[in-house]
Amino acid sequence: MFEKVLIANRGEIALRIHRACKEMGISTVAIHSTVDADAMHVRLADESVCVGPAPAARSYLNAAAILSAATVTNAEAIHPGYGFLAENASFARMVEEHGFTFIGPNADLIALMGDKVAAKRSMVEAGVPVVPGSDGPVEDVDSALAAAEHVGYPVLVKAAAGGGGRGMKVAADQDALRTAVPLARQEAQASFGNPAVFLERFLSHPRHIEVQVLADKHGQVVSLFERDCSLQRKHQKVLEEAPAPRLDESARARIGEVCRKASARIGYETAGTFEFLYQDGEFFFIEMNTRIQVEHPITEMITGIDLVAEMIRVAAGEPLGFAQADLKINGHAIECRINAEDPETFGPSPGRISDFHTPGGLGVRVDSALYSGYSVPPHYDSLVAKLVVHGQTRAACLARLRRALEEMVIGGILTTIPLHQRLVAEPAIVDGNYDIHWLERYVGLK
Ligand code: MV4
């Protein structure tokens, strides 16, 4: 096992990784920007290195400075967390070339999944159902029109180098597609430095269901079941739950097996997530995430597996210590993402934390790097806490979540706690009856 791991991240996920390391007897190195010198992830780590000024491009994304930090501290491995460099293939390659272990997939797999067209193709080969669409990228309007005849309108134009919803355009008919394709190509070039776009059948009312897998370097893969992440606003997840409500046991078992088989087929060797759109009883693969995700704790709550510890263990070459047959879903878990934002306008609300009280009790977990007196800097993601609640049933989980939200206090800044308090009283949420459009309609964006 590693003796020392460098954590190339900040905030709650840096803390989460630190906690796993400590429990495994691993010492930790934090990196930080100048404005994060007093951050909790720096305070808790065994060692820390300042890697640059506040802008992430010059600190948390500064590969050379991070590799230097790993070198001077004698770290053996680097955990990237999520965001920042987590899905940057060239960073993963540099980490390995410098003799460190990248705690994540190899650079080639990151690159493969970063190309949404190549990712879909590899999934088709691996037996995963994908959204029907163009066979590869469409180079111009004519080939797009030809492809759309097979796909059927409305179609969605997506950037091959995109993901996370950036640069998508719906076209209801041929005329709309004639306009959408050049526009989407321009935007893709500007945003991702790659103009390639492809078409998919537009699904009008899907749910976003994702399957968590965990694989080792010895060919073992397990599915840790699924999460429903349909409650999103502007492609930012707000509340997630596991397992997905209203998903029958046979569909769950089938999609879990599909993802296990596909992981083995592509040579996957770490934690990963298969993202699907689920509509009218059918799963359609859209993307694979090759990182530990923000919402991983709900999977931990229903399986009892420490995903971050397992990710570190398999990166060190250890075999998974359990098999699929050892796993079963225990109860239900929900995560509320609490952001430093106005709960009505969603405008940012950085500033000094005057009070911080976290709820506790059975089945309640708070992952947060906040403390009383800490100042939330304006430079980074607004996620400041994750309230994660477990219950033996979905109803018990919701009752516990309502109670925990009443107890939680984050003073001095605005947060999205009041939004979550409203959400847990909504009939559609109580019934688990929502799709990817529900939240945006609810908050009045559309
Ligand atoms: C789609 C779709 C409908 N049809 N693809 C947005 C994020 C990116 N990961 C994929 N996205 C979508 N792809 C087809 N063929 C609708 C969305 C989508 C969405 C997906 C998941 C969660 C929230 C969403 C909000 C708007 C659109």
Side-chain angles (χ1 to χ4, degrees):
M1 184 43 63
F2 309 119
E3 285 184 8
K4 194 187 278 189
V5 167
L6 181 141
I7 301 164
N9 216 300
R10 65 182 303 283
E12 66 84 19
I13 195 63
L15 242 63
R16 171 70 189 85
I17 298 162
H18 167 84
R19 287 169 173 155
C21 287
K22 288 284 98 180
E23 292 178 14
M24 299 170 82
I26 300 169
S27 6
T28 60
V29 181
I31 60 159
H32 65 90
S33 66
T34 50
V35 289
D36 272 349
D38 293 327
M40 188 58 101
H41 78 279
V42 178
R43 293 189 176 190
L44 287 187
D46 295 302
E47 291 168 79
S48 63
V49 180
C50 181
V51 291
R58 299 184 57 199
S59 49
Y60 296 102
L61 292 169
N62 185 344
I66 294 167
L67 290 167
S68 299
T71 302
V72 300
T73 56
N74 262 308
E76 294 165 80
I78 297 180
H79 198 307
Y82 54 70
F84 297 128
L85 295 165
E87 288 168 290
N88 184 314
S90 54
F91 178 69
R93 196 166 284 122
M94 286 165 75
V95 167
E96 296 283 336
E97 280 170 1
H98 282 73
F100 306 110
T101 299
F102 182 78
I103 303 176
N106 67 55
D108 291 341
L109 274 173
I110 297 177
L112 177 73
M113 296 308 164
D115 177 341
K116 306 306 163 191
V117 170
K120 273 185 82 174
R121 211 171 260 149
S122 74
M123 289 303 157
V124 172
E125 283 170 17
V128 181
V130 304
V131 188
S134 57
D135 184 18
V138 290
E139 309 289 343
D140 51 40
V141 168
D142 284 340
S143 48
L145 288 167
E149 287 313 307
H150 297 283
V151 174
Y153 290 94
V155 295
L156 197 54
V157 186
K158 292 185 173 184
R166 290 175 303 167
M168 301 193 318
K169 302 220 174 300
V170 188
D173 53 32
Q174 293 187 339
D175 268 354
L177 189 58
R178 282 191 190 92
T179 324
V181 167
L183 213 61
R185 284 177 62 84
Q186 268 172 35
E187 283 186 20
Q189 175 64 45
S191 306
F192 315 111
N194 176 355
V197 298
F198 63 104
L199 302 190
E200 275 184 359
R201 178 189 300 160
F202 176 69
L203 301 174
S204 62
H205 56 278
R207 290 157 62 186
H208 173 130
I209 296 181
E210 57 185 32
V211 175
Q212 176 74 56
V213 295
L214 180 63
D216 65 18
K217 296 186 193 286
H218 307 274
Q220 297 301 308
V221 190
V222 294
S223 153
L224 294 158
F225 313 107
E226 82 288 348
R227 301 181 282 257
D228 192 319
C229 304
S230 301
L231 293 173
Q232 308 201 3
R233 180 188 164 273
K234 295 196 170 175
H235 302 299
Q236 295 294 317
K237 294 169 186 167
V238 170
L239 179 155
E240 307 96 343
E241 57 181 314
R246 298 166 175 255
L247 184 70
D248 69 67
E249 202 49 59
S250 68
R252 168 171 300 122
R254 256 185 294 118
I255 201 65
E257 278 311 298
V258 162
C259 294
R260 283 180 72 198
K261 214 175 273 170
S263 300
R265 180 77 172 257
I266 64 176
Y268 206 69
E269 299 180 339
T270 179
T273 303
F274 290 76
E275 286 190 0
F276 294 94
L277 297 178
Y278 178 75
Q279 181 172 298
D280 304 330
E282 274 188 275
F283 282 98
F284 303 95
F285 171 88
I286 45 171
E287 291 175 24
M288 181 167 192
N289 298 320
T290 57
R291 59 172 189 273
I292 189 76
Q293 289 192 267
V294 176
E295 60 271 27
H296 77 275
I298 54 176
T299 298
E300 297 185 323
M301 294 289 239
I302 63 159
T303 60
I305 301 293
D306 182 331
L307 270 168
V308 177
E310 291 302 325
M311 209 180 161
I312 296 168
R313 288 186 59 246
V314 297
E318 293 188 19
L320 286 178
F322 51 89
Q324 190 68 48
D326 299 325
L327 295 170
K328 75 181 238 310
I329 297 177
N330 174 27
H332 198 91
I334 299 178
E335 170 178 277
C336 293
R337 294 193 187 194
I338 297 169
N339 293 327
E341 287 173 0
D342 184 312
E344 303 278 336
T345 66
F346 301 95
S349 178
R352 188 176 178 278
I353 304 297
S354 57
D355 302 281
F356 186 53
H357 175 80
T358 58
L362 182 65
V364 177
R365 163 177 172 182
V366 177
D367 279 18
S368 175
L370 293 185
Y371 58 87
S372 201
Y374 173 69
S375 281
V376 177
H379 309 83
Y380 310 107
D381 191 274
S382 65
L383 181 77
V384 290
K386 304 190 304 203
L387 172 59
V388 189
V389 169
H390 180 259
Q392 279 313 314
T393 63
R394 190 170 182 276
C397 181
L398 275 166
R400 184 167 282 160
L401 177 56
R402 281 184 207 105
R403 182 276 285 176
L405 283 164
E406 282 171 16
E407 283 182 36
M408 187 148 190
V409 178
I410 300 179
I413 60 168
L414 295 174
T415 76
T416 52
I417 292 173
L419 170 67
H420 288 294
Q421 287 171 330
R422 283 168 57 207
L423 286 177
V424 293
E426 278 300 315
I429 305 293
V430 172
D431 297 342
N433 187 17
Y434 53 80
D435 64 19
I436 61 167
H437 303 295
W438 187 90
L439 183 64
E440 291 199 348
R441 284 190 197 117
Y442 178 73
V443 299
L445 201 75
K446 278 183 187 162

